[in-house]
Amino acid sequence: MAKLVYQFLCGSGQHKPQFNEQLRLIVAEDALHAFYKARLIGERETLHIVNNGLPIQWKFIDVTEILPVNKLSDGAELWSFMNEDSDAELYIRNTQHKASILLEQGIHEYSII
């Protein structure tokens, strides 16, 4: 798995810097090949468009991580991030709120089918 980082630029770029980090599965024989393959994907997906006269750009920055995925199996850990937060209770409440929204969406989708 590779982490690709893009910068989002809108107009002249005179706005708060915005970055997009993406985790991508890469099939490769080793980490070096995965790195170069991920870079090629990032460069191919660099985007320059004009929307209503406003230039928009997704600028590929680089690959920042290569994480081996040895076996795809139920419950396998694909990515982990350690976060420090000044308010533990608020962080836990927000996490539980996000989980309840996901559960509600899943139940709603299942009941439609």
Side-chain angles (χ1 to χ4, degrees), residues 43-112:
E43 290 168 0
R44 262 187 297 177
E45 294 183 359
T46 293
L47 179 65
H48 302 269
I49 62 171
V50 176
N51 186 8
N52 294 326
L54 189 64
I56 296 174
Q57 179 181 6
W58 280 94
K59 180 181 176 185
F60 175 62
I61 304 299
D62 216 332
V63 176
T64 59
E65 292 184 53
I66 297 291
L67 307 166
V69 177
N70 297 320
K71 182 180 178 187
L72 291 179
S73 61
D74 192 29
E77 182 176 314
L78 296 178
W79 187 64
S80 175
F81 175 75
M82 183 65 76
N83 185 24
E84 291 186 12
D85 197 290
S86 59
D87 188 338
E89 290 180 23
L90 180 61
Y91 184 85
I92 292 168
R93 267 198 319 272
N94 286 339
T95 300
Q96 291 171 334
H97 179 70
K98 290 175 187 176
S100 67
I101 290 171
L102 283 175
L103 179 60
E104 289 174 21
Q105 290 172 342
I107 290 171
H108 178 72
E109 288 176 21
Y110 182 75
S111 65
I112 293 175

